[in-house]
Amino acid sequence: MRYKTKIVSMLFLLVAFLVMVAGTALSQDSLPSWNEGPAKKAIIEFVQATTDKSSPKFVPPEVRIATFDQDGTTWVEQPMYTQVMYCLERVAGLAKENPEMKDVEPFKTVLSGNREAMAKLTMKDLEKILAATLTGMTVDEFGVQVKDWLAAAKHPRFKRPYTELVYQPMLEVMKLFRANGYKTYFVTGGGQDFVRVYSEQFYGIPPEQVVGTAGGAKYGYDKSGKPMLTKEPRLPLNDDKAGKLEGIHLIIGRRPYAAFGNSIGDKQMLEYTQAGEGARLMMLVYHDDDKREYGYGPKSKVGTFTDALMAQAKKNGWTVISMKNDWKRIFAWEQ
Amino acid sequence: MRYKTKIVSMLFLLVAFLVMVAGTALSQDSLPSWNEGPAKKAIIEFVQATTDKSSPKFVPPEVRIATFDQDGTTWVEQPMYTQVMYCLERVAGLAKENPEMKDVEPFKTVLSGNREAMAKLTMKDLEKILAATLTGMTVDEFGVQVKDWLAAAKHPRFKRPYTELVYQPMLEVMKLFRANGYKTYFVTGGGQDFVRVYSEQFYGIPPEQVVGTAGGAKYGYDKSGKPMLTKEPRLPLNDDKAGKLEGIHLIIGRRPYAAFGNSIGDKQMLEYTQAGEGARLMMLVYHDDDKREYGYGPKSKVGTFTDALMAQAKKNGWTVISMKNDWKRIFAWEQ
């Protein structure tokens, strides 16, 4: 056999082999934690249609953007947002470094652990707690502080690290989208710098694909003249509700083709996604499983899902995901 | 031959084939528009060292970030920034749609074309012109307006579209970085929305990798109830000088490994890049070629390159690129 012919027949065999492997991958269930039903079907059909070149719904690879809310959409947000838990627990760490804080309100109340007193903290008190725990340090120092806390902190009900409270079905969705050429982004009301600390390791979402509420970062020099960036109590981006679109425009600059949320904070993101041309996928996670997770809706202050939002979802054809019925399991560690 | 053995030997041959192909690619000159010299050498050595797994300077693919200033670093910025030319020329378009503008200052002066009078416009006048031409429309409408202008506008000296005034040597650098797993970002004092219109087509940089001065975007609904984003005269991000680090932190969230600039507006970006651990590349384009392009330095208001910046570059080991000596050709259309 001549060399050229050999190469050609080799490549032919290789292509046949790759087609065989690819065939196997496609026939496997990429959403094993989902029960068969309209939600799973909507996801699979959307991904297939938008990546099939012969489909009228085909979306070119470079504009394939899928956005995911975080709290309550891809991990547990009850009884309180993880970042708020961080801020409250971080006060103890700060008080160790600055003992005089122990006698100053609102830190004194937080350190007392008295829940009744803590519930009475005012908006101004909370702002002081956020400013003390989220600003004043360099961006690198903040990353270390969050990482250390995540390694040690446990969720009050599940007694597990917060990073183990990621929803397995949503991880599968993210992986399915990425395997089909979609860039997956977080678009969260939570702090951008906070989420970036763990998003790559636990969700496969790199820091540059996290859109979140962002404080200012001031450029300066330390005592030795080394440049540094310090977190400041300004808010260039309040990434919630209508602000999520400002965040998407600022950081992505493209309209998403798919958007996932779970509360009134995601309503505008889903509306704007749907207003684009061609195929679009809008989904809302609904927390109706108080056995395995939590059941909450319009009355919850965390992750509010109003009746009006449910009505809008129905009217607009958004798919509501029932955690109880659509998810075979919620967490990776479940039996 | 058994099937398994066949596959293995086939894969072995394939790997040998790929290594051969890769060897050919590496031996080709990836920077053909650069003269041999310290600048070209610095780029090649940096890319080789940071992508060689056996090198102590190896940088993992996920953190490979290279940032490029735009005006004066990757295209012509004289006699005036392209976006300012856009704003001034756009006034005529606006006046057609709103004839009453013709009698209102500062638009009247701009429409007169009287350069002497235009040079006397105050900061407040300029702000009015920027607000009128860059805000008030939806983000989609703005994209169309810029695209239309770019297709028609010509540079006063070169009599060519602005998008043909891209520096070919810098395009080659961007391609070399991308071919080696680097994400290339613009980090520009220019308007983020403006640069995004053409960055993908002319530089291979997608919108989500453009960091620039950003105005606000307000979410709302048009008369038919369709969601829209309107450009507002706020400035969440002033992406110049120290602000470039705020922009990099906000949109990328990682420290660059390589940074390219050409003026005092890039000083802090280069400092912060260099302050990271491991191998870093800092480069400044110096405009010393008034025959083929422009010669300017400390006295130019556009793209100021002070003596202090030159001294800092020497002291810190930043590489200064001489357009005259380091670039074989500046534009793709040159002979």
Side-chain angles (χ1 to χ4, degrees):
Chain A
M1 214 187 277
R2 278 200 333 214
Y3 181 69
K4 250 191 179 170
T5 325
K6 212 169 186 177
I7 288 280
V8 169
S9 78
M10 206 176 79
L11 285 177
F12 180 79
L13 277 173
L14 178 86
V15 168
F17 176 73
L18 290 179
V19 167
M20 192 184 77
V21 171
T24 316
L26 278 180
S27 68
Q28 278 174 352
D29 185 355
S30 44
L31 299 177
S33 299
W34 290 71
N35 288 315
E36 300 304 322
K40 180 173 179 172
K41 194 165 170 262
I43 297 166
I44 301 275
E45 283 183 357
F46 173 82
V47 170
Q48 281 180 342
T50 57
T51 56
D52 174 2
K53 272 199 173 171
S54 67
S55 163
K57 292 181 179 173
F58 178 73
V59 174
E62 65 272 19
V63 296
R64 288 183 198 157
I65 302 282
T67 55
F68 296 81
D69 170 57
Q70 201 213 185
D71 295 309
T73 299
T74 67
W75 78 353
V76 173
E77 65 181 346
Q78 297 284 359
M80 183 43 73
Y81 302 119
T82 305
Q83 190 180 0
V84 176
M85 300 298 283
Y86 169 76
C87 292
L88 294 174
E89 296 187 10
R90 174 75 192 136
V91 168
L94 278 178
K96 264 189 197 162
E97 296 157 25
N98 311 283
E100 71 281 5
M101 279 179 69
K102 287 174 189 162
D103 303 315
V104 180
E105 289 295 0
F107 309 108
K108 196 177 167 184
T109 297
V110 174
L111 290 165
S112 75
N114 181 335
R115 290 194 174 201
E116 213 166 302
M118 279 166 73
K120 283 179 193 158
L121 290 176
T122 64
M123 214 46 202
K124 215 169 178 178
D125 291 333
L126 286 173
E127 275 174 22
K128 277 183 193 167
I129 294 165
L130 296 186
T133 54
L134 301 176
T135 68
M137 69 293 285
T138 69
V139 298
D140 295 335
E141 285 164 356
F142 179 72
V144 172
Q145 287 162 9
V146 174
K147 206 165 187 176
D148 287 351
W149 179 80
L150 282 173
K154 296 254 165 90
H155 185 274
R157 172 175 155 193
F158 294 106
K159 315 289 183 203
R160 283 173 179 272
Y162 289 92
T163 47
E164 288 184 17
L165 301 182
V166 168
Y167 303 146
Q168 180 61 24
M170 293 306 291
L171 272 191
E172 292 167 6
V173 172
M174 288 179 166
K175 279 179 190 165
L176 175 67
F177 271 87
R178 287 196 289 264
N180 284 278
Y182 277 87
K183 272 193 182 178
T184 53
Y185 278 84
F186 269 133
V187 178
T188 171
Q192 186 166 281
D193 286 347
F194 185 82
V195 177
R196 279 172 168 172
V197 175
Y198 54 85
S199 63
E200 188 154 36
Q201 185 181 352
F202 294 97
Y203 292 97
I205 294 186
E208 61 268 31
Q209 284 164 226
V210 174
V211 181
T213 295
K218 193 184 177 181
Y219 184 77
Y221 307 88
D222 70 10
K223 282 172 195 167
S224 73
K226 197 181 167 184
M228 59 179 192
L229 274 178
T230 307
K231 284 172 68 61
E232 282 196 316
R234 291 180 289 122
L235 214 62
L237 177 59
N238 186 1
D239 196 63
D240 195 26
K241 299 190 173 73
K244 289 202 172 189
L245 282 316
E246 179 153 68
I248 287 172
H249 181 66
L250 181 65
I251 295 182
I252 312 178
R254 305 193 195 258
R255 194 192 296 254
Y257 275 83
F260 295 79
N262 80 304
S263 78
I264 49 168
D266 303 306
K267 168 185 131 82
Q268 291 86 348
M269 178 167 74
L270 269 63
E271 286 174 352
Y272 195 72
T273 298
Q274 184 166 36
E277 286 174 15
R280 308 277 165 167
L281 181 68
M282 288 67 58
M283 302 194 87
L284 287 169
V285 174
Y286 188 60
H287 293 261
D288 56 359
D289 192 334
D290 55 3
K291 277 195 185 150
R292 295 188 297 173
E293 204 241 9
Y294 293 92
Y296 54 101
K299 282 177 193 164
S300 175
K301 279 190 181 173
V302 169
T304 316
F305 196 128
T306 57
D307 296 337
L309 181 63
M310 188 63 91
Q312 187 174 5
K314 276 185 188 160
K315 192 183 156 205
N316 291 8
W318 302 347
T319 307
V320 176
I321 299 163
S322 159
M323 290 178 72
K324 196 174 171 180
N325 301 321
D326 286 314
W327 290 358
K328 219 173 267 179
R329 59 173 183 171
I330 294 180
F331 305 112
W333 42 265
E334 266 176 69
Q335 290 304 319
Chain B
M1 212 188 278
R2 282 200 330 214
Y3 182 67
K4 250 191 179 169
T5 325
K6 213 169 182 174
I7 289 279
V8 169
S9 78
M10 206 176 81
L11 286 177
F12 179 80
L13 277 173
L14 179 83
V15 168
F17 177 72
L18 290 178
V19 166
M20 192 184 77
V21 171
T24 315
L26 278 180
S27 70
Q28 278 174 352
D29 186 356
S30 43
L31 300 177
S33 300
W34 290 71
N35 288 315
E36 299 305 321
K40 180 171 180 174
K41 195 165 170 259
I43 297 165
I44 301 274
E45 283 184 356
F46 174 82
V47 170
Q48 282 181 340
T50 57
T51 56
D52 174 1
K53 272 201 175 169
S54 67
S55 163
K57 293 182 179 173
F58 180 72
V59 174
E62 65 271 19
V63 296
R64 288 184 198 155
I65 302 282
T67 55
F68 297 81
D69 169 57
Q70 199 211 188
D71 294 309
T73 299
T74 67
W75 77 355
V76 173
E77 65 182 346
Q78 296 283 2
M80 184 42 75
Y81 301 120
T82 305
Q83 189 179 1
V84 175
M85 299 299 284
Y86 169 76
C87 292
L88 293 175
E89 295 186 11
R90 174 75 191 134
V91 169
L94 278 177
K96 264 188 199 163
E97 295 157 27
N98 310 282
E100 70 279 6
M101 278 178 71
K102 286 175 190 161
D103 302 315
V104 179
E105 289 295 358
F107 309 109
K108 194 176 166 184
T109 297
V110 173
L111 291 166
S112 75
N114 180 337
R115 290 195 173 197
E116 214 167 300
M118 281 168 74
K120 282 180 194 157
L121 290 175
T122 64
M123 215 46 204
K124 216 169 179 177
D125 290 333
L126 286 173
E127 275 173 23
K128 277 184 193 165
I129 294 165
L130 296 187
T133 53
L134 301 176
T135 70
M137 69 293 285
T138 70
V139 298
D140 295 335
E141 286 163 356
F142 179 72
V144 172
Q145 287 162 6
V146 175
K147 208 167 184 169
D148 287 350
W149 179 80
L150 281 173
K154 295 253 166 90
H155 185 275
R157 172 175 156 192
F158 295 104
K159 316 287 180 203
R160 284 173 179 271
Y162 289 92
T163 47
E164 288 185 16
L165 301 183
V166 168
Y167 303 145
Q168 179 63 22
M170 293 306 291
L171 272 191
E172 292 168 5
V173 172
M174 289 179 164
K175 280 181 189 164
L176 175 67
F177 270 87
R178 288 196 290 265
N180 283 279
Y182 277 86
K183 273 193 180 175
T184 52
Y185 278 84
F186 269 133
V187 178
T188 171
Q192 186 166 279
D193 286 349
F194 185 82
V195 177
R196 278 172 168 171
V197 174
Y198 55 84
S199 62
E200 189 153 36
Q201 185 182 349
F202 294 98
Y203 293 97
I205 294 186
E208 61 268 31
Q209 286 166 222
V210 175
V211 181
T213 296
K218 193 184 177 180
Y219 184 77
Y221 306 89
D222 70 10
K223 282 173 196 167
S224 73
K226 195 178 168 185
M228 59 179 191
L229 274 178
T230 307
K231 284 172 69 62
E232 281 196 317
R234 291 181 289 121
L235 213 62
L237 176 59
N238 186 1
D239 196 62
D240 193 27
K241 299 191 173 73
K244 288 204 172 188
L245 283 314
E246 180 152 68
I248 287 172
H249 181 66
L250 181 67
I251 295 181
I252 313 177
R254 305 194 196 255
R255 193 192 298 255
Y257 275 83
F260 295 79
N262 79 303
S263 78
I264 49 169
D266 304 306
K267 167 186 131 83
Q268 291 87 348
M269 178 167 76
L270 269 62
E271 285 174 351
Y272 194 72
T273 298
Q274 184 166 35
E277 286 175 14
R280 308 275 164 169
L281 182 68
M282 287 68 57
M283 301 192 89
L284 288 169
V285 174
Y286 187 61
H287 293 261
D288 55 0
D289 192 335
D290 54 4
K291 278 196 185 151
R292 294 187 299 173
E293 204 238 11
Y294 293 92
Y296 54 101
K299 282 179 193 164
S300 175
K301 278 190 183 174
V302 169
T304 317
F305 197 128
T306 57
D307 296 336
L309 181 63
M310 189 61 92
Q312 186 175 8
K314 279 188 185 157
K315 191 183 156 204
N316 292 8
W318 301 347
T319 306
V320 175
I321 299 164
S322 158
M323 291 178 71
K324 194 174 172 182
N325 301 320
D326 286 313
W327 289 359
K328 217 173 271 178
R329 60 173 183 172
I330 293 179
F331 305 112
W333 40 266
E334 267 178 68
Q335 291 306 318

